[in-house]
Amino acid sequence: MFSSFMIAADKSGSGKTTLTTGIIRYLTRNGHIVAPFKCGPDYIDTRHLERASGRKAYNLDSVMLSREIVQNVYARGCAGADCAVIEGVMGVLDGVSHTDFAGSSADIAAIADLPCVLVLDCSGSSYTAAATIRGIAELGRMRIAGVVLNNIASDRHAFLVRSAVETHTDCKVLGTLPKNSENLLGSRHLGIKTAMEVEESYLEACADFASANVNVDELLTLCRTEKPVYAPQTAVKTDKTAYVAYDKAFQFYYNSNIEFLASAGYEVKFFSPLAGEGIDGADFVYIGGGYPELYAEELSESPTAKIIKDYAEAGGKLYAECGGLMFLSRGIHTDGGFFPMAGVFGCETRMCSRRQALGYVRAELVKDCIMGNAGQANVGHEFHYSAMEGYSGEYAYKLTRITDGKTSGDGLIYKNSFAAYTHLHFLCDKPLIKNMI
């Protein structure tokens, strides 16, 4: 039998990632083959789910992708697994629309036909938890198979909340999480630490925490579902080579993007700018997001910076997002000083104390370039704390924020190189990256 469920919550910071990571690791070490997923555009949580399961984790995003593509990505990830665990995003109804909750965890649950396990913050309340659950279930039109009560102060508190939930809802209380539970995972400005920064002991601690506080076996029984059918694609002959930067400085990628390159006829090779690795024989280079500011000194001394610069000058096809843009700038300003980078583009970047952008945007080309013709557009996502300085040229993109229509510019072009803060999903409708590759 196949089980699948989404772990969602009433708000951000509820402990979804720790609990999801723990349940996945617990299931994996007990012999299950778990298909892990993350709702929305987040890169960091996805890598933790990969570490916990030992399998690729995929993003399910109904803002950047069509309903059909989300279903296909879900089916692709479930192939070969006996259960699927999907981590929600923000609060369960938080998306890009207040009317139909598009882009929310509830939206993804409806698209993939998933039951939901709701993690509910019960601090400062008791019986009201029942009303919260009923409101979420009604507004989100979703099946809540069970709830996990978080921030429980005492056995008495647990009894009060459980009694109200089981009296006034159809939901089973699957577990309680104690108030002020140990913070198992540290954070930084973009969120929790990356999967490359944590030890196996953290994953085991998450598993122990989950199994001690949640009835995982009952959860699996409550969430029996039909396994989605996946039809593997016909293998494509790989007659080109794509190099993808991947190390502690650059690790923010959608797995679907990497697989898209393979489906387009590229043999994908990974290289580490931190290790000074090269890109011999590259037909395309992809430098994704990450934390280049944390490794600015090492990157500035890496021979890869000059290798990339020479590749771009020779007209090589180069695509970069966010942290990749920072690496391709003239340099990065940090609290520790200024560190020169590859210098492909005529700008510098500076780390700021406040977030500079967050949210979905429509990225429309305003000029013909290697990414396509003026007027072509994709929906992407921005999230960065750095800002560009000293750039006097035109931007390739007109960005329009999905939620409020605010506009801005993004996208730099030099020969056959393109870089932007905006992250794109390559499986979107008419992907711009297809024009480049």
Side-chain angles (χ1 to χ4, degrees):
M1 294 292 290
F2 187 76
S3 296
S4 63
F5 53 90
M6 175 183 291
I7 298 178
D10 56 331
K11 61 183 180 181
S12 293
S14 64
K16 288 192 304 293
T17 299
T18 299
L19 185 61
T20 307
T21 302
I23 289 175
I24 289 175
R25 174 47 70 100
Y26 172 78
L27 291 171
T28 300
R29 77 185 187 189
N30 280 278
H32 289 279
I33 302 174
V34 184
F37 300 89
K38 171 67 182 179
C39 292
D42 183 276
Y43 298 94
I44 301 175
D45 291 352
T46 309
R47 297 303 180 207
H48 284 285
L49 306 185
E50 284 190 352
R51 282 280 306 275
S53 65
R55 285 172 56 97
K56 288 183 180 179
Y58 293 88
N59 291 75
L60 304 176
D61 192 307
S62 58
V63 181
M64 291 192 283
L65 304 178
S66 70
R67 180 187 184 94
E68 181 181 5
I69 294 299
V70 170
Q71 292 171 335
N72 290 343
V73 172
Y74 175 61
R76 164 72 179 88
C78 288
D82 60 55
C83 58
V85 182
I86 299 89
E87 181 187 349
V89 58
M90 300 176 65
V92 63
L93 302 182
D94 296 328
V96 296
S97 170
H98 68 280
T99 56
D100 61 4
F101 310 115
S104 67
S105 300
D107 190 29
I108 295 296
I111 291 171
D113 193 21
L114 296 166
C116 178
V117 175
L118 186 66
V119 182
L120 192 65
D121 184 358
C122 299
S123 57
S125 67
S126 57
Y127 301 146
T128 304
T132 301
I133 294 167
R134 288 182 63 170
I136 290 173
E138 180 180 346
L139 281 177
R141 298 182 294 278
M142 60 194 306
R143 176 162 66 96
I144 300 178
V147 295
V148 175
L149 308 177
N150 196 10
N151 280 319
I152 296 298
S154 64
D155 290 343
R156 173 66 176 169
H157 187 201
F159 173 77
L160 295 176
V161 180
R162 182 188 294 269
S163 298
V165 170
E166 295 184 343
T167 298
H168 297 288
T169 78
D170 296 328
C171 298
K172 179 72 175 179
V173 175
L174 294 170
T176 59
L177 308 181
K179 189 174 183 179
N180 298 322
S181 297
E182 180 184 2
N183 182 13
L184 297 175
L185 189 61
S187 63
R188 63 172 85 260
H189 55 265
L190 289 184
I192 62 177
K193 289 182 179 179
T194 68
M196 287 187 179
E197 296 177 283
V198 299
E199 303 293 336
E200 283 291 310
S201 58
Y202 157 73
L203 300 173
E204 294 302 323
C206 287
D208 293 340
F209 175 78
S211 61
N213 293 286
V214 177
N215 189 333
V216 181
D217 292 335
E218 186 175 18
L219 189 162
L220 289 178
T221 300
L222 286 172
C223 297
R224 298 293 188 196
T225 58
E226 290 293 326
K227 185 174 182 178
V229 178
Y230 173 69
Q233 295 181 333
T234 303
V236 175
K237 180 181 179 181
T238 54
D239 55 0
K240 297 167 287 187
T241 302
Y243 276 85
V244 178
Y246 193 80
D247 55 26
K248 288 184 178 180
F250 306 102
Q251 52 183 293
F252 297 169
Y253 298 93
Y254 300 127
N255 281 319
S256 294
N257 283 10
I258 307 302
E259 293 176 0
F260 179 86
L261 295 178
S263 71
Y266 286 87
E267 178 188 359
V268 177
K269 296 182 178 181
F270 295 95
F271 74 104
S272 169
L274 280 175
E277 294 177 349
I279 51 171
D280 293 343
D283 296 293
F284 176 69
V285 175
Y286 180 15
I287 307 178
Y291 290 132
E293 68 275 12
L294 299 181
Y295 307 96
E297 184 173 1
E298 295 97 316
L299 289 171
S300 69
E301 297 172 351
S302 170
T304 302
K306 185 178 185 305
I307 292 171
I308 293 294
K309 170 70 169 176
D310 292 344
Y311 173 80
E313 289 291 348
K317 293 181 179 180
L318 172 61
Y319 176 75
E321 294 174 329
C322 204
L325 181 154
M326 297 171 69
F327 182 55
L328 298 184
S329 72
R330 288 196 297 256
I332 303 174
H333 293 272
T334 72
D335 290 340
F338 176 75
F339 298 94
M341 294 291 143
V344 173
F345 297 104
C347 67
E348 297 174 0
T349 58
R350 182 180 298 275
M351 294 305 302
C352 304
S353 59
R354 293 186 176 184
R355 188 176 61 220
Q356 298 299 294
L358 171 63
Y360 291 102
V361 292
R362 182 176 186 270
E364 179 184 353
L365 290 172
V366 297
K367 58 191 296 185
D368 294 349
C369 67
I370 191 168
M371 289 290 282
N373 298 323
Q376 290 183 283
N378 286 164
V379 173
H381 189 267
E382 281 191 293
F383 191 179
H384 55 94
Y385 273 72
S386 70
M388 270 191 284
E389 294 182 347
Y391 180 66
S392 58
E394 295 180 307
Y395 290 110
Y397 286 150
K398 173 188 175 183
L399 298 185
T400 304
R401 200 155 59 191
I402 298 297
T403 51
D404 60 11
K406 183 178 179 180
T407 60
S408 59
D410 191 19
L412 310 180
I413 307 167
Y414 179 72
K415 295 187 177 181
N416 289 324
S417 296
F418 187 95
Y421 272 118
T422 305
H423 295 272
L424 298 180
H425 199 298
F426 296 173
L427 296 189
C428 66
D429 183 43
K430 297 179 181 178
L432 295 177
I433 193 66
K434 192 171 183 179
N435 296 313
M436 175 181 278
I437 66 172

